[in-house]
Each structure stands twice: as C-alpha cells, then as structure tokens.
Amino acid sequence: LEVWSDGSLGARRAVGAGVRGLAITPEGDRLIASRFLSADSGGELRVLDLNESRASRAIHLAPDRATQDGEDRARGLPNYLGALSISPDGATALVPAKKDNVYRGAKRDGKPLTFESSVRALAMQISIAREQEDTASRIDFNDREGARDI
C-alpha cells in the first residue's frame, strides 16, 4: 500500500496480505484495511497510523463457537470481509462478511450441513477507539445473500 499525504507520495507501508477494503477515519490519522480471506483463527482488520511509521496492528474478529445452530443463526468463522464503513463521528466501523460454519458437518460434530447452518451473511461492529470488535453487536442475517456493502 502506498500512503498519500497532502497530495504527495508517502512511504510504502505493509498492511498485510489479501486486503479487500480500505477506510480512513474522519480525522485522517488511521487507515483500516479488511483482509478478504480469513485464517483458521478468525477474520482480521489491519490498522495503520498514517502519522507514524510503525507497523500496522491487527484487530482480530473471533470465530463464533458459542451460538447454537438454528433456523436463524449458526456458528462460524468471519470470512470474505468486505469494504468497511466508518461512522461520520469516527466512533465505529461496520464490516460486512460471511460466516462459514467450519464447526458443523459429518466429520466435525456429526450433524449434517444445511442451507441455514453452513454459510450466513454477517455484519460486525468495531470500536475505533478500542480497536476491537463488539461481538454482542454482530448481526447474523437469516436467509440473505452475502453482505457486501454497508
């Protein structure tokens, strides 16, 4: 990623592999990048301070192992993270994604995969100040196409 500042070319800065979406906070001091494909440990956003030359840091989006699979919800791993949107006040970011249920199946928990339990649309809310997800605010969409834009 090449960071531009005041119309001039800035230094090259690494934000990680597989970046899908970029957003800059309203203050213009931080860039947040979403990683499209997730590792087995969960989804990931990368935060880059635009006024400093230090390395980017990660916001981890944990897998959902606690939810009971049902008609309107399922366990899973945040994946295919889309372009995030930062609120005008800079307090929160919303991230569209899909949730892959890597915990269900004949070889995983012995339960068959169903259309309601294997892949679901997902939206996550991130606190910009704390640089962490508010997992209680996750929206697990029922019977919807994959979330792409917010």
Side-chain angles (χ1 to χ4, degrees):
L1 173 69
E2 300 220 8
V3 179
W4 292 76
S5 174
D6 299 329
S8 61
L9 182 62
R12 250 177 218 254
R13 307 275 298 280
V15 292
V19 170
R20 177 64 166 226
L22 301 172
I24 296 178
T25 58
E27 298 82 17
D29 60 343
R30 286 183 278 183
L31 179 138
I32 304 174
S34 61
R35 181 177 176 186
F36 184 58
L37 296 175
S38 297
D40 290 343
S41 58
E44 183 179 272
L45 302 174
R46 301 296 296 182
V47 180
L48 184 66
D49 287 313
L50 297 177
N51 298 326
E52 300 176 16
S53 60
R54 64 183 173 152
S56 64
R57 56 197 174 277
I59 297 175
H60 296 285
L61 308 171
D64 178 358
R65 292 184 176 101
T67 299
Q68 293 295 318
D69 296 340
E71 177 185 335
D72 62 344
R73 65 198 172 284
R75 297 168 287 170
L77 173 81
N79 197 12
Y80 281 29
L81 275 58
L84 59 148
S85 294
I86 298 177
S87 62
D89 63 5
T92 59
L94 296 175
V95 183
K98 71 179 177 104
K99 184 165 48 165
D100 299 326
N101 193 344
V102 296
Y103 307 111
R104 187 177 179 116
K107 298 287 185 182
R108 299 287 177 141
D109 66 357
K111 297 177 183 174
L113 287 170
T114 67
F115 75 93
E116 293 171 326
S117 66
S118 53
V119 178
R120 301 185 64 82
L122 177 67
M124 296 166 286
Q125 182 173 315
I126 309 300
S127 166
I128 301 291
R130 292 189 328 268
E131 292 186 0
Q132 71 183 66
E133 181 191 0
D134 176 6
T135 54
S137 295
R138 275 188 182 179
I139 300 171
D140 187 345
F141 296 100
N142 190 25
D143 296 331
R144 298 289 182 252
E145 177 70 25
R148 289 185 182 84
D149 300 304
I150 292 182

